[in-house]
Amino acid sequence: MHTELNAETLNLNLKHKIKKDTGEDIMLCYQCGKCTAGCPLNDEMDISPNQLLRMLQTEIPDLEEKVLKSSTIWLCLSCETCFSRCPKEVDLPKIMDYLRSESMRQNSVNKKASDIVAFHRSFLSTVKSVGRLYEIGLIAGYKARTFHLLQDVNVAPTMLLNGKLKIKPPLIKNRSEIAKIFDRIKELEEKEK
Amino acid sequence: MSRIGVFVCHCGENIGATVDCAEVAKMAKDFPGVAFSIDYKYMCSDPGQTLIKEAIKEHNLTGVVVAACSPRMHEPTFRKVAAEAGLNPYLCEMANLREHCSWVHYKDKSTTLKAAELVRMLVEKVKLNTPLYPIKVPVTKTALVIGGGIAGIQTALDIANSGHKVIMVEKSPSIGGHMSQLSETFPTLDCSQCILTPRMVEVAQHPNITLYTYAELESLDGFIGNFKATIKLKAKSVDHSVCNGCGECSAKCPIKKIPDEFNAGLGTRPAIYVPFPQAVPNKPVIDRDNCTYFRKNGKCGLCEKICPTKAIDFSQKDEFITVDVGAVVVTTGFDIKGTDFFPEYGYGKYKDIITGLQFERLASASGPTLGEIRRPSDGKIPQNIVFISCAGSRDPAKGIDYCSKICCMYLAKHAMLYKHKVHSGKASVFYMDIRAGGKTYEEFVRRAIEEDEVNYVRGRVSRIYEKDGKLIVKGVDTLLNSYPVEIEADMVVLGTAGIANPESESLAQKLHISYDQYHFFAEAHPKLRPVETNTAGIMLAGACQFPKDIPDSVSQASGAASKVSALFSQNELTRDPLIAFVNKNTCVGCFMCQSVCPYLAIEKEKIKAKDGSVIREVAKINPGLCQGCGTCVALCRSKSIDINGYSHKQVYAEVMSLFNERSLEYV
């Protein structure tokens, strides 16, 4: 019997939320560990990918909280090595993506992940204003958010000389349309809260 | 003058890589009595066999030694070759160069020398071999099937359908066995009774099958093709030829509180009873241990008074009948450990901790709760249920090292049935490994986990105790770095270990078959002869050999039946003549041999004078029974017993041949 997906059960556990929002079934995982064995970032993660799935399977609130507070979900590169090898075809990157937004929603972002979050924010804000990637804008935004002012500055002159960093933002046509997309997403997120 | 041929086989690399086979053949040429010797890559191959045949004819050989693998492997092959070349097959012997030499030593000169010595021993033996001729015995084409569970039913039907007579003996009042107690069966979830009961009826109605229920095997004598079985027909106290099975007696019987075996103790039954409504035969018996008439000297007798057909017969006595059978199939099934076996799970004191078999009865539509899952203590529907696999199994500390094989599957089925019946309930299964090998078995277990959302926790439950009316089940999730798991359960089901029947040891002794350390009956070979026992003519099927599920039991049953049919397809059996014989002149009649013979093959023979008076008694060996084990030979004080093909002289010659000029080199 499938547990009814009503508001009550949704509040209860992450497993069913993931099922509803991403279509991914955590229960498919049978803990073979192939995802973790192939994960290039596993050594850096505080919870290995297969353990993360097992924790979600149990529906134990303490463990779900640990998952949302883990560094794992932020370190995941979405390289999809795990997904392409998973015998049960569990889309772990998709689940990781979901967990990242859930973690932000619940203000449970891992402290070590603040730089990563800053990078994501900078990236998106340049895309929003420029319409595509603008390196200098991205770097400036990242440094302003993290105060890592001197990080990697020594490579800047060479990159500038070789034309890898464009001073002028590569603006696209109809940038307002891009901004509209961002606004629309924000609107949807507000509604969900 | 002996003319022995020696044929050295390389067995590919098996012998050839370690032993210099050409050198062995060369050395063998010089052994006294050897007329011909040669080596060849594969002696058992067609060209190899031709080589032997031609050499026998060409060199007029009087004996053959094939130095190759174990005689267990190829002795019949090479003896056949000898026979085809016109030599008596028992003049062909094998020297085991593979298992006894090449496989256990490094490549070295001494390995080759040892191989040569092994050949020398066999050459000395063969010189003393005498032609022997197979023994012929007749076959009684009736089979005895002991046990009326699904394995017995399948065996009986298969044999009966191939046109042979079958006698089935079942100790309880109805056939059907454990399968009749099951609710639904994995992996298809079809109703157990629905698929079983038509077969039970078929057994009862088959013209080739004679069914004796409430009966037990008393003794078995004889040998393959010619067994004599004595069957004890326990007094039913009801004349089944008159009884019409109306059930009036069971309804009126004043004794009603006897724990019901069929419901695994969860229900009660009267003293005069039919085990279950679909029983075959559907006629009652009186349980004399619990009947007031028998316990209090004739008081009560109510059933006798109300029986409309006057079928009750308190004066019935146990009856013994003797039947001639040619083969026996043992299908006596298994038992399970009770909940009282587990101190850590409350020693059986908690009513709501039950066994898998009891859960089957709860889930069965014909069970005490009519298929509703209600716990035994207060009849409430459990909202949180825990299943524990490996309860007793894979537990050397409890004396059960093996995996009981069926629990993983039936617990998945139980959890599934529970979720189907109690939608809001929560089911958890504690397991160590999920062993779901079998067609669509893995898919079945995954279905329980993925679709029915059964909570599988990897870990063994350490303890269960009661607290505020709940059973606290303590374990850890070993997949989560041993995260502690504590479940407040309403009911716990233990997948307790499958064990041998308590009577299996005494039955094995009656049948003269062997059993393993756990009292399961032993097969002749774990891989290649899984349905036969070491006693010729006695086969095994079903869970009496080891716990197994229904598909496996049925396949083995059909296997055993085909073995029996193959046996019955012959009018006469031929047996190896390698058996013991007694020298009447020297036998002193102490009969030590008789007391040790495991096959009861030794009889007393009276030697009479001309006037008919008995002079003395000597031992005589029944060639049909003797298996040539040699126990009597070793024990005979006057050295009056010898074995064909393994005489004292032959063995002595083998040993003495080792004391030759070369043996000094080893010292």
Side-chain angles (χ1 to χ4, degrees), chain B residues 7 10 33 39 62 66 108 114 124 138 196 205 209 213 242 258 290 341 353 437 458 481 540 568 571 617 656 661:
Chain B
F7 301 87
H10 293 239
D39 63 304
T62 58
V66 184
D108 189 54
K114 177 177 169 180
E124 288 307 315
L196 174 69
Q205 293 176 346
I209 301 177
T213 52
V242 182
I258 306 162
N290 288 301
F341 184 62
I353 299 182
R458 193 192 175 281
N481 201 15
L540 302 174
F568 288 177
N571 291 323
E617 278 190 322
M656 291 315 286
E661 64 281 7

PDB file of all heavy atoms in Angstrom, chain B residues 7 10 33 39 62 66 108 114 124 138 196 205 209 213 242 258 290 341 353 437 458 481 540 568 571 617 656 661:
ATOM      1  N   PHE B   7      48.102 -49.215 -17.324  1.00  0.00           N
ATOM      2  CA  PHE B   7      47.771 -48.088 -18.196  1.00  0.00           C
ATOM      3  C   PHE B   7      47.816 -46.806 -17.375  1.00  0.00           C
ATOM      4  O   PHE B   7      46.994 -46.607 -16.483  1.00  0.00           O
ATOM      5  CB  PHE B   7      46.379 -48.288 -18.807  1.00  0.00           C
ATOM      6  CG  PHE B   7      46.306 -49.567 -19.623  1.00  0.00           C
ATOM      7  CD1 PHE B   7      45.985 -50.785 -19.013  1.00  0.00           C
ATOM      8  CD2 PHE B   7      46.607 -49.549 -20.970  1.00  0.00           C
ATOM      9  CE1 PHE B   7      45.952 -51.947 -19.750  1.00  0.00           C
ATOM     10  CE2 PHE B   7      46.565 -50.726 -21.710  1.00  0.00           C
ATOM     11  CZ  PHE B   7      46.237 -51.932 -21.111  1.00  0.00           C
ATOM     12  N   HIS B  10      47.497 -39.465 -17.919  1.00  0.00           N
ATOM     13  CA  HIS B  10      47.998 -38.134 -17.539  1.00  0.00           C
ATOM     14  C   HIS B  10      46.889 -37.285 -16.924  1.00  0.00           C
ATOM     15  O   HIS B  10      47.171 -36.311 -16.253  1.00  0.00           O
ATOM     16  CB  HIS B  10      48.522 -37.391 -18.774  1.00  0.00           C
ATOM     17  CG  HIS B  10      49.755 -38.000 -19.363  1.00  0.00           C
ATOM     18  ND1 HIS B  10      50.921 -37.305 -19.491  1.00  0.00           N
ATOM     19  CD2 HIS B  10      50.001 -39.236 -19.857  1.00  0.00           C
ATOM     20  CE1 HIS B  10      51.835 -38.087 -20.048  1.00  0.00           C
ATOM     21  NE2 HIS B  10      51.291 -39.266 -20.286  1.00  0.00           N
ATOM     22  N   GLY B  33      55.260 -59.804 -13.165  1.00  0.00           N
ATOM     23  CA  GLY B  33      53.904 -60.124 -13.626  1.00  0.00           C
ATOM     24  C   GLY B  33      53.348 -59.149 -14.625  1.00  0.00           C
ATOM     25  O   GLY B  33      52.289 -59.381 -15.197  1.00  0.00           O
ATOM     26  N   ASP B  39      51.562 -45.207 -21.242  1.00  0.00           N
ATOM     27  CA  ASP B  39      50.904 -44.018 -20.713  1.00  0.00           C
ATOM     28  C   ASP B  39      50.150 -43.323 -21.835  1.00  0.00           C
ATOM     29  O   ASP B  39      50.487 -43.479 -23.008  1.00  0.00           O
ATOM     30  CB  ASP B  39      51.914 -43.064 -20.067  1.00  0.00           C
ATOM     31  CG  ASP B  39      52.926 -42.525 -21.065  1.00  0.00           C
ATOM     32  OD1 ASP B  39      53.594 -43.350 -21.728  1.00  0.00           O
ATOM     33  OD2 ASP B  39      53.024 -41.286 -21.202  1.00  0.00           O
ATOM     34  N   THR B  62      45.694 -60.924 -18.203  1.00  0.00           N
ATOM     35  CA  THR B  62      44.832 -61.592 -17.226  1.00  0.00           C
ATOM     36  C   THR B  62      44.354 -60.610 -16.152  1.00  0.00           C
ATOM     37  O   THR B  62      43.594 -60.964 -15.267  1.00  0.00           O
ATOM     38  CB  THR B  62      45.579 -62.727 -16.525  1.00  0.00           C
ATOM     39  OG1 THR B  62      46.733 -62.159 -15.888  1.00  0.00           O
ATOM     40  CG2 THR B  62      46.015 -63.794 -17.509  1.00  0.00           C
ATOM     41  N   VAL B  66      44.551 -49.614 -14.091  1.00  0.00           N
ATOM     42  CA  VAL B  66      44.501 -48.289 -14.699  1.00  0.00           C
ATOM     43  C   VAL B  66      44.936 -47.294 -13.635  1.00  0.00           C
ATOM     44  O   VAL B  66      44.288 -47.163 -12.601  1.00  0.00           O
ATOM     45  CB  VAL B  66      43.086 -47.948 -15.203  1.00  0.00           C
ATOM     46  CG1 VAL B  66      43.099 -46.604 -15.917  1.00  0.00           C
ATOM     47  CG2 VAL B  66      42.579 -49.027 -16.140  1.00  0.00           C
ATOM     48  N   ASP B 108      58.129 -33.573  -8.361  1.00  0.00           N
ATOM     49  CA  ASP B 108      59.417 -33.987  -7.818  1.00  0.00           C
ATOM     50  C   ASP B 108      59.666 -35.426  -8.240  1.00  0.00           C
ATOM     51  O   ASP B 108      58.739 -36.147  -8.605  1.00  0.00           O
ATOM     52  CB  ASP B 108      59.377 -33.877  -6.278  1.00  0.00           C
ATOM     53  CG  ASP B 108      60.750 -34.076  -5.668  1.00  0.00           C
ATOM     54  OD1 ASP B 108      61.668 -33.347  -6.094  1.00  0.00           O
ATOM     55  OD2 ASP B 108      60.913 -34.967  -4.815  1.00  0.00           O
ATOM     56  N   LYS B 114      56.487 -42.319  -5.916  1.00  0.00           N
ATOM     57  CA  LYS B 114      55.304 -42.719  -5.151  1.00  0.00           C
ATOM     58  C   LYS B 114      54.235 -43.256  -6.092  1.00  0.00           C
ATOM     59  O   LYS B 114      53.587 -44.268  -5.799  1.00  0.00           O
ATOM     60  CB  LYS B 114      54.748 -41.537  -4.351  1.00  0.00           C
ATOM     61  CG  LYS B 114      53.466 -41.913  -3.613  1.00  0.00           C
ATOM     62  CD  LYS B 114      52.901 -40.814  -2.754  1.00  0.00           C
ATOM     63  CE  LYS B 114      51.502 -41.177  -2.280  1.00  0.00           C
ATOM     64  NZ  LYS B 114      50.876 -40.160  -1.445  1.00  0.00           N
ATOM     65  N   GLU B 124      50.096 -56.027  -7.533  1.00  0.00           N
ATOM     66  CA  GLU B 124      50.127 -57.182  -6.619  1.00  0.00           C
ATOM     67  C   GLU B 124      48.707 -57.614  -6.249  1.00  0.00           C
ATOM     68  O   GLU B 124      48.423 -58.796  -6.099  1.00  0.00           O
ATOM     69  CB  GLU B 124      50.922 -56.843  -5.354  1.00  0.00           C
ATOM     70  CG  GLU B 124      52.418 -56.737  -5.557  1.00  0.00           C
ATOM     71  CD  GLU B 124      53.022 -57.978  -6.233  1.00  0.00           C
ATOM     72  OE1 GLU B 124      52.682 -59.116  -5.846  1.00  0.00           O
ATOM     73  OE2 GLU B 124      53.813 -57.778  -7.186  1.00  0.00           O
ATOM     74  N   PRO B 138      15.312 -59.874  -7.143  1.00  0.00           N
ATOM     75  CA  PRO B 138      14.034 -59.442  -7.707  1.00  0.00           C
ATOM     76  C   PRO B 138      13.562 -58.101  -7.110  1.00  0.00           C
ATOM     77  O   PRO B 138      14.096 -57.653  -6.103  1.00  0.00           O
ATOM     78  CB  PRO B 138      13.078 -60.569  -7.322  1.00  0.00           C
ATOM     79  CG  PRO B 138      13.680 -61.168  -6.106  1.00  0.00           C
ATOM     80  CD  PRO B 138      15.167 -60.991  -6.206  1.00  0.00           C
ATOM     81  N   LEU B 196      -3.390 -27.022  -2.640  1.00  0.00           N
ATOM     82  CA  LEU B 196      -3.018 -28.290  -2.016  1.00  0.00           C
ATOM     83  C   LEU B 196      -4.172 -29.291  -1.940  1.00  0.00           C
ATOM     84  O   LEU B 196      -4.001 -30.478  -2.259  1.00  0.00           O
ATOM     85  CB  LEU B 196      -2.459 -28.038  -0.611  1.00  0.00           C
ATOM     86  CG  LEU B 196      -2.151 -29.284   0.221  1.00  0.00           C
ATOM     87  CD1 LEU B 196      -0.966 -30.041  -0.375  1.00  0.00           C
ATOM     88  CD2 LEU B 196      -1.853 -28.934   1.660  1.00  0.00           C
ATOM     89  N   GLN B 205      -8.131 -40.756  -3.607  1.00  0.00           N
ATOM     90  CA  GLN B 205      -8.964 -41.443  -4.597  1.00  0.00           C
ATOM     91  C   GLN B 205      -8.177 -42.259  -5.608  1.00  0.00           C
ATOM     92  O   GLN B 205      -8.749 -42.987  -6.403  1.00  0.00           O
ATOM     93  CB  GLN B 205      -9.818 -40.403  -5.330  1.00  0.00           C
ATOM     94  CG  GLN B 205     -10.847 -39.764  -4.403  1.00  0.00           C
ATOM     95  CD  GLN B 205     -11.633 -38.674  -5.078  1.00  0.00           C
ATOM     96  OE1 GLN B 205     -11.254 -38.209  -6.152  1.00  0.00           O
ATOM     97  NE2 GLN B 205     -12.724 -38.256  -4.466  1.00  0.00           N
ATOM     98  N   ILE B 209      -2.942 -45.885  -4.970  1.00  0.00           N
ATOM     99  CA  ILE B 209      -2.411 -45.449  -3.672  1.00  0.00           C
ATOM    100  C   ILE B 209      -3.254 -46.007  -2.526  1.00  0.00           C
ATOM    101  O   ILE B 209      -4.474 -45.873  -2.517  1.00  0.00           O
ATOM    102  CB  ILE B 209      -2.364 -43.903  -3.568  1.00  0.00           C
ATOM    103  CG1 ILE B 209      -1.485 -43.322  -4.676  1.00  0.00           C
ATOM    104  CG2 ILE B 209      -1.842 -43.466  -2.198  1.00  0.00           C
ATOM    105  CD1 ILE B 209      -1.427 -41.816  -4.720  1.00  0.00           C
ATOM    106  N   THR B 213      -3.657 -43.227   7.326  1.00  0.00           N
ATOM    107  CA  THR B 213      -3.417 -42.084   8.201  1.00  0.00           C
ATOM    108  C   THR B 213      -3.440 -42.578   9.639  1.00  0.00           C
ATOM    109  O   THR B 213      -3.913 -43.678   9.920  1.00  0.00           O
ATOM    110  CB  THR B 213      -4.505 -41.006   8.034  1.00  0.00           C
ATOM    111  OG1 THR B 213      -5.776 -41.618   8.179  1.00  0.00           O
ATOM    112  CG2 THR B 213      -4.419 -40.350   6.685  1.00  0.00           C
ATOM    113  N   VAL B 242     -17.669 -46.980   8.584  1.00  0.00           N
ATOM    114  CA  VAL B 242     -19.064 -46.690   8.898  1.00  0.00           C
ATOM    115  C   VAL B 242     -19.311 -45.179   9.016  1.00  0.00           C
ATOM    116  O   VAL B 242     -20.339 -44.657   8.590  1.00  0.00           O
ATOM    117  CB  VAL B 242     -19.459 -47.382  10.229  1.00  0.00           C
ATOM    118  CG1 VAL B 242     -20.930 -47.136  10.557  1.00  0.00           C
ATOM    119  CG2 VAL B 242     -19.168 -48.882  10.150  1.00  0.00           C
ATOM    120  N   ILE B 258      -8.401 -28.450  24.294  1.00  0.00           N
ATOM    121  CA  ILE B 258      -7.095 -29.009  23.954  1.00  0.00           C
ATOM    122  C   ILE B 258      -6.427 -28.097  22.922  1.00  0.00           C
ATOM    123  O   ILE B 258      -7.049 -27.740  21.933  1.00  0.00           O
ATOM    124  CB  ILE B 258      -7.250 -30.430  23.381  1.00  0.00           C
ATOM    125  CG1 ILE B 258      -8.064 -31.289  24.363  1.00  0.00           C
ATOM    126  CG2 ILE B 258      -5.896 -31.058  23.099  1.00  0.00           C
ATOM    127  CD1 ILE B 258      -8.632 -32.526  23.753  1.00  0.00           C
ATOM    128  N   ASN B 290      -6.438 -37.363  25.835  1.00  0.00           N
ATOM    129  CA  ASN B 290      -7.265 -36.280  26.376  1.00  0.00           C
ATOM    130  C   ASN B 290      -8.736 -36.649  26.540  1.00  0.00           C
ATOM    131  O   ASN B 290      -9.510 -35.860  27.054  1.00  0.00           O
ATOM    132  CB  ASN B 290      -7.147 -35.046  25.474  1.00  0.00           C
ATOM    133  CG  ASN B 290      -5.793 -34.384  25.628  1.00  0.00           C
ATOM    134  OD1 ASN B 290      -5.404 -33.973  26.702  1.00  0.00           O
ATOM    135  ND2 ASN B 290      -5.051 -34.331  24.529  1.00  0.00           N
ATOM    136  N   PHE B 341      12.454 -20.866  23.029  1.00  0.00           N
ATOM    137  CA  PHE B 341      13.866 -21.171  22.815  1.00  0.00           C
ATOM    138  C   PHE B 341      14.741 -19.933  23.025  1.00  0.00           C
ATOM    139  O   PHE B 341      15.950 -20.014  23.053  1.00  0.00           O
ATOM    140  CB  PHE B 341      14.014 -21.719  21.391  1.00  0.00           C
ATOM    141  CG  PHE B 341      15.391 -22.173  21.020  1.00  0.00           C
ATOM    142  CD1 PHE B 341      16.001 -23.213  21.702  1.00  0.00           C
ATOM    143  CD2 PHE B 341      16.079 -21.574  19.975  1.00  0.00           C
ATOM    144  CE1 PHE B 341      17.266 -23.646  21.351  1.00  0.00           C
ATOM    145  CE2 PHE B 341      17.342 -22.000  19.615  1.00  0.00           C
ATOM    146  CZ  PHE B 341      17.937 -23.039  20.306  1.00  0.00           C
ATOM    147  N   ILE B 353       4.420 -12.518  21.398  1.00  0.00           N
ATOM    148  CA  ILE B 353       5.562 -12.905  20.572  1.00  0.00           C
ATOM    149  C   ILE B 353       5.235 -14.297  20.040  1.00  0.00           C
ATOM    150  O   ILE B 353       5.099 -15.247  20.810  1.00  0.00           O
ATOM    151  CB  ILE B 353       6.878 -12.921  21.381  1.00  0.00           C
ATOM    152  CG1 ILE B 353       7.163 -11.531  21.938  1.00  0.00           C
ATOM    153  CG2 ILE B 353       8.028 -13.390  20.503  1.00  0.00           C
ATOM    154  CD1 ILE B 353       8.453 -11.421  22.720  1.00  0.00           C
ATOM    155  N   GLY B 437      17.010 -16.087  -2.974  1.00  0.00           N
ATOM    156  CA  GLY B 437      17.414 -16.773  -4.203  1.00  0.00           C
ATOM    157  C   GLY B 437      16.275 -17.640  -4.678  1.00  0.00           C
ATOM    158  O   GLY B 437      15.798 -18.498  -3.952  1.00  0.00           O
ATOM    159  N   ARG B 458      18.561  -3.563   9.027  1.00  0.00           N
ATOM    160  CA  ARG B 458      19.596  -4.600   9.054  1.00  0.00           C
ATOM    161  C   ARG B 458      20.241  -4.658  10.435  1.00  0.00           C
ATOM    162  O   ARG B 458      20.931  -3.723  10.842  1.00  0.00           O
ATOM    163  CB  ARG B 458      20.670  -4.352   8.010  1.00  0.00           C
ATOM    164  CG  ARG B 458      21.525  -5.585   7.840  1.00  0.00           C
ATOM    165  CD  ARG B 458      22.783  -5.353   7.042  1.00  0.00           C
ATOM    166  NE  ARG B 458      23.555  -6.578   7.061  1.00  0.00           N
ATOM    167  CZ  ARG B 458      24.301  -6.966   8.080  1.00  0.00           C
ATOM    168  NH1 ARG B 458      24.410  -6.205   9.128  1.00  0.00           N
ATOM    169  NH2 ARG B 458      24.946  -8.132   8.034  1.00  0.00           N
ATOM    170  N   ASN B 481      25.788   2.887  10.676  1.00  0.00           N
ATOM    171  CA  ASN B 481      26.813   2.957  11.710  1.00  0.00           C
ATOM    172  C   ASN B 481      26.233   2.590  13.080  1.00  0.00           C
ATOM    173  O   ASN B 481      26.499   3.246  14.078  1.00  0.00           O
ATOM    174  CB  ASN B 481      27.400   4.372  11.724  1.00  0.00           C
ATOM    175  CG  ASN B 481      28.764   4.388  12.361  1.00  0.00           C
ATOM    176  OD1 ASN B 481      29.370   3.333  12.533  1.00  0.00           O
ATOM    177  ND2 ASN B 481      29.234   5.564  12.718  1.00  0.00           N
ATOM    178  N   LEU B 540      14.872 -39.667  -0.317  1.00  0.00           N
ATOM    179  CA  LEU B 540      14.415 -38.571   0.524  1.00  0.00           C
ATOM    180  C   LEU B 540      13.726 -37.519  -0.331  1.00  0.00           C
ATOM    181  O   LEU B 540      14.080 -37.333  -1.484  1.00  0.00           O
ATOM    182  CB  LEU B 540      15.603 -37.872   1.192  1.00  0.00           C
ATOM    183  CG  LEU B 540      16.535 -38.676   2.064  1.00  0.00           C
ATOM    184  CD1 LEU B 540      17.705 -37.799   2.475  1.00  0.00           C
ATOM    185  CD2 LEU B 540      15.791 -39.140   3.305  1.00  0.00           C
ATOM    186  N   PHE B 568      11.782 -49.413 -10.468  1.00  0.00           N
ATOM    187  CA  PHE B 568      10.692 -50.345 -10.738  1.00  0.00           C
ATOM    188  C   PHE B 568      10.595 -50.719 -12.219  1.00  0.00           C
ATOM    189  O   PHE B 568       9.804 -51.586 -12.588  1.00  0.00           O
ATOM    190  CB  PHE B 568       9.351 -49.731 -10.298  1.00  0.00           C
ATOM    191  CG  PHE B 568       9.186 -49.674  -8.800  1.00  0.00           C
ATOM    192  CD1 PHE B 568       8.065 -49.086  -8.228  1.00  0.00           C
ATOM    193  CD2 PHE B 568      10.152 -50.204  -7.953  1.00  0.00           C
ATOM    194  CE1 PHE B 568       7.908 -49.020  -6.851  1.00  0.00           C
ATOM    195  CE2 PHE B 568      10.015 -50.135  -6.579  1.00  0.00           C
ATOM    196  CZ  PHE B 568       8.886 -49.541  -6.031  1.00  0.00           C
ATOM    197  N   ASN B 571      12.974 -55.721 -13.794  1.00  0.00           N
ATOM    198  CA  ASN B 571      12.398 -56.866 -13.098  1.00  0.00           C
ATOM    199  C   ASN B 571      13.383 -57.467 -12.103  1.00  0.00           C
ATOM    200  O   ASN B 571      13.007 -58.082 -11.132  1.00  0.00           O
ATOM    201  CB  ASN B 571      11.960 -57.925 -14.097  1.00  0.00           C
ATOM    202  CG  ASN B 571      10.772 -57.436 -14.907  1.00  0.00           C
ATOM    203  OD1 ASN B 571       9.889 -56.749 -14.384  1.00  0.00           O
ATOM    204  ND2 ASN B 571      10.767 -57.750 -16.186  1.00  0.00           N
ATOM    205  N   GLU B 617      26.088 -73.679  15.142  1.00  0.00           N
ATOM    206  CA  GLU B 617      25.546 -72.558  14.378  1.00  0.00           C
ATOM    207  C   GLU B 617      26.697 -71.696  13.857  1.00  0.00           C
ATOM    208  O   GLU B 617      27.651 -71.435  14.584  1.00  0.00           O
ATOM    209  CB  GLU B 617      24.646 -71.694  15.271  1.00  0.00           C
ATOM    210  CG  GLU B 617      23.249 -72.248  15.415  1.00  0.00           C
ATOM    211  CD  GLU B 617      22.322 -71.252  16.094  1.00  0.00           C
ATOM    212  OE1 GLU B 617      22.783 -70.564  17.024  1.00  0.00           O
ATOM    213  OE2 GLU B 617      21.161 -71.180  15.685  1.00  0.00           O
ATOM    214  N   MET B 656      52.668 -55.683   1.452  1.00  0.00           N
ATOM    215  CA  MET B 656      53.992 -56.295   1.401  1.00  0.00           C
ATOM    216  C   MET B 656      54.789 -55.842   0.179  1.00  0.00           C
ATOM    217  O   MET B 656      56.018 -55.810   0.211  1.00  0.00           O
ATOM    218  CB  MET B 656      53.870 -57.828   1.413  1.00  0.00           C
ATOM    219  CG  MET B 656      53.386 -58.392   2.724  1.00  0.00           C
ATOM    220  SD  MET B 656      54.207 -57.667   4.175  1.00  0.00           S
ATOM    221  CE  MET B 656      55.822 -58.454   4.077  1.00  0.00           C
ATOM    222  N   GLU B 661      63.219 -53.489  -2.822  1.00  0.00           N
ATOM    223  CA  GLU B 661      64.584 -52.944  -2.788  1.00  0.00           C
ATOM    224  C   GLU B 661      64.586 -51.408  -2.756  1.00  0.00           C
ATOM    225  O   GLU B 661      65.424 -50.791  -2.137  1.00  0.00           O
ATOM    226  CB  GLU B 661      65.426 -53.478  -3.962  1.00  0.00           C
ATOM    227  CG  GLU B 661      64.976 -53.078  -5.347  1.00  0.00           C
ATOM    228  CD  GLU B 661      63.787 -53.884  -5.876  1.00  0.00           C
ATOM    229  OE1 GLU B 661      63.197 -54.694  -5.114  1.00  0.00           O
ATOM    230  OE2 GLU B 661      63.444 -53.688  -7.019  1.00  0.00           O
TER     231      GLU B 661
END
